[in-house]
Amino acid sequence: MDVERRLSISGRARAVLLVLAATFIVLAVHAVTGFKTLSDLGGDNDSLLRLVQIRDLLAGQGWFDPHQYRMGPEGGFAMHWSRLVDAPVAAIMLAMSALGLAPAGAETVAQVVWPTLLLALTLFFILRMARLFGGEKAVLPAAVLGGSALYFLGIFAPAALDHHNVQLLLACACLYLLLRARQERAAALPAGVCAALMLAVGMETAPVVAAVGTCVAALFLFAPAHERLVARNFGLGFAAASTAVFFATIAPSAWAQAQCDAFSVVQFVLAALSGLGLALVTTIPAAAGTFGRRLLALGLVGFLVALAAVLAFPQCLASPYAGLDPRLTSLWLDHVSEARSLFALASEDPAVLAARYATPLLALALMAMRLRAGGWRREDSLVGAVLAVSFLVSIWQVRGSTFSISLAVVPLSAWIAGWRARAEASSSPGVSLRMVAVWLLSINASWTGAAAAASVAVEGNRTADADAASASRCTRASDYALLATQPATMVLAISNLGSPILAYSGHHVFSGPYHRNVAGNLLALDALMGTPAEAERIVERHHVGLVALCRGNSESRLLSEQAPVSLLAGVMEGAVPGWLELLPESAGQPLEIYRVRPDH
């Protein structure tokens, strides 16, 4: 036992050292490039609006109040994000302020520290999973594959405050704890907590949480002697954490309000039923005695959960965007990059396919070959189930590839470890060459580079044009410097500019790329795509003081093409109505600013 413990500590220390080295390299790369993402997030509206939400919280907005009052029509709208992500970032800012840093400096520190901390923790859990899955020789490959994958995903870059990095960390932690729970049953309890927190942070992870829970139940069904305590502890952790989150983040006045797109009474009730039901089945001897009884009891739990969903919350069985206005679907949602399907990517941007799908598909092929060879293990069931579900989600929406790319590192590291062992045992150059090939195939960056090279070969080298287009999309903080000097007012702009305007100025906006802001987004479309006379009436009714135009943004081009006689199309062509005047300082800049004439 002492030997095993020393080996475990040694393995953990090695993982920590590799994680620290990888994190330092990533930070160094960002530092060499001047921490570019701090001033240019490349259109990451979510991270910018998260920063605005955190500022509002620190300025005194209520913990239970999720409204964004500066976006949308008068009164704003309620965001569907969780305060669980706001809290630690706000805590870092408060700590830095207590040490004497100015608010801007405290923000900068938090924007660097928080994503970096999440990167290090996520990579640590990936390395620990790789060790349990493929042995000690899989740890180094996991550090290389995992570190490069997490870097190129971009969700851990400085200023990336969106919740996808938190969700990925929780998924990796949950899976690692379940892998470890075979030897240490108590680890299943925090695994259940991680699963509940995943769900609380964002409903996008519901398929992953469902896959984890189903896998835990299936393992108990087929191996009760080893998995009973694991399933019980997981269920208890899942139910307890869901309960705690509900009462900690939902206002008492909203306890009975069902929200399908955010953690609410819907998710609380279904999670509590699922977790407690699983714990009860594993605890009651009459339910856990035979395979037939276990199957019947688990089936009954599943039936009760489904029945509760159908009878109590039928509205949440539809697509999350089923009620979205058709205009917002065609003019906004269909063009959101992370919401595109594999089939849309294949026709619009085939080069991205290799970067997003190659390594997960390769990892799934390895898992299938292991299953066919008859070497299937408990570890394979857990990793394979979550990897497969993440890959299926990525076919529907590319955002799912964040999970599948990261989890693919685990079986791919074991694959490399196997070839490393063969190369060490053999002096054949062929074995060494095959090992090198396995390395190259397993690194996601190799596929990304190959895709970029293929794109250049087909379309020609358009790097200069691409850089110019990027500079004109109005994603830099400096693009909003002039706008920030203007007296606070309502600004009419496309939805892609909504979050940057809030983050970099004190103004209000109608629109932003958020499905709950239906009224504000439709108002902006009516004004921008309507005739100048129609737009003028909306401007007067809602006291718009400024109109912001970004010619290089793809949304501006899309809307003007869809409505060629509109206000937006006219201004794009230089036909500015008499009730608008261009601020001379903004002429020729990426962001043009037009003032509404007070005497129009």
Side-chain angles (χ1 to χ4, degrees), residues 189 192-197 200 235-247 263 268:
L189 187 69
V193 172
C194 289
L197 292 176
L236 290 174
F238 188 59
S242 299
T243 303
V245 166
F246 179 76
F247 290 108
F263 199 85
F268 164 56

Side-chain angles (χ1 to χ4, degrees), residues 41-368:
L41 268 170
D44 184 356
N45 276 267
D46 290 353
S47 289
L48 289 174
L49 192 61
R50 175 73 71 182
L51 178 61
V52 174
Q53 295 280 101
I54 295 168
R55 288 173 180 168
D56 293 343
L57 178 65
L58 292 174
Q61 185 166 324
W63 171 263
F64 293 117
D65 182 5
H67 280 74
Q68 180 44 246
Y69 291 101
R70 290 198 292 134
M71 182 178 285
E74 292 77 359
F77 71 103
M79 283 296 294
H80 61 290
W81 290 345
S82 173
R83 285 293 195 197
L84 293 176
V85 181
D86 298 343
V89 184
I92 295 173
M93 292 181 184
L94 288 174
M96 293 300 104
S97 297
L99 292 176
L101 282 183
E107 270 190 12
T108 300
V109 171
Q111 287 178 296
V112 174
V113 168
W114 179 241
T116 303
L117 177 62
L118 295 177
L119 167 69
L121 290 173
T122 304
L123 187 57
F124 173 78
F125 286 121
I126 289 176
L127 263 60
R128 299 300 288 167
M129 277 194 286
R131 183 175 181 273
L132 291 174
F133 189 90
E136 197 63 44
K137 288 186 179 297
V139 175
L140 177 61
V144 177
L145 270 58
S148 62
L150 298 183
Y151 171 78
F152 284 106
L153 282 174
I155 62 173
F156 295 98
L161 302 181
D162 191 13
H163 55 259
H164 297 310
N165 45 23
V166 177
Q167 290 173 319
L168 181 57
L169 166 62
L170 290 169
C172 291
C174 178
L175 198 50
Y176 162 67
L177 290 166
L178 285 175
L179 288 174
R180 185 178 173 182
R182 184 66 176 267
Q183 288 76 36
E184 191 176 330
R185 305 290 198 275
L189 187 69
V193 172
C194 289
L197 292 176
M198 254 195 289
L199 202 61
V201 168
M203 288 303 296
E204 311 99 300
T205 56
V208 175
V209 174
V212 170
T214 301
C215 197
V216 169
L219 288 171
F220 162 68
L221 175 65
F222 289 100
H226 300 289
E227 302 294 339
R228 184 181 67 83
L229 292 178
V230 172
R232 185 201 67 181
N233 291 341
F234 178 86
L236 290 174
F238 188 59
S242 299
T243 303
V245 166
F246 179 76
F247 290 108
T249 62
I250 309 298
S253 60
W255 283 352
Q257 296 177 10
Q259 305 289 345
C260 303
D261 60 350
F263 199 85
S264 67
V265 65
V266 181
Q267 295 74 20
F268 164 56
V269 168
L270 299 182
L273 283 175
S274 302
L276 291 177
L278 181 59
L280 282 173
V281 169
T282 59
T283 303
I284 300 173
T290 65
F291 178 86
R293 289 179 180 180
R294 292 192 298 275
L295 181 60
L296 180 62
L298 291 171
L300 181 60
V301 171
F303 173 76
L304 290 176
V305 172
L307 187 65
V310 171
L311 295 181
F313 316 111
Q315 69 273 32
C316 295
L317 300 178
S319 166
Y321 303 114
L324 198 63
D325 186 279
R327 283 190 297 165
L328 295 180
T329 300
S330 61
L331 296 173
W332 166 61
L333 185 61
D334 289 347
H335 302 276
V336 175
S337 59
E338 67 176 19
R340 288 183 296 174
S341 69
L342 180 149
F343 309 104
L345 284 175
S347 60
E348 299 168 11
D349 195 0
V352 177
L353 289 178
R356 288 287 178 173
Y357 296 97
T359 51
L361 194 58
L362 180 59
L364 286 171
L366 291 171
M367 302 293 287

Side-chain angles (χ1 to χ4, degrees), residues 505-520:
S505 77
H507 298 297
H508 292 64
V509 293
F510 283 134
S511 66
Y514 304 101
H515 67 274
R516 283 195 176 186
N517 185 31
V518 174

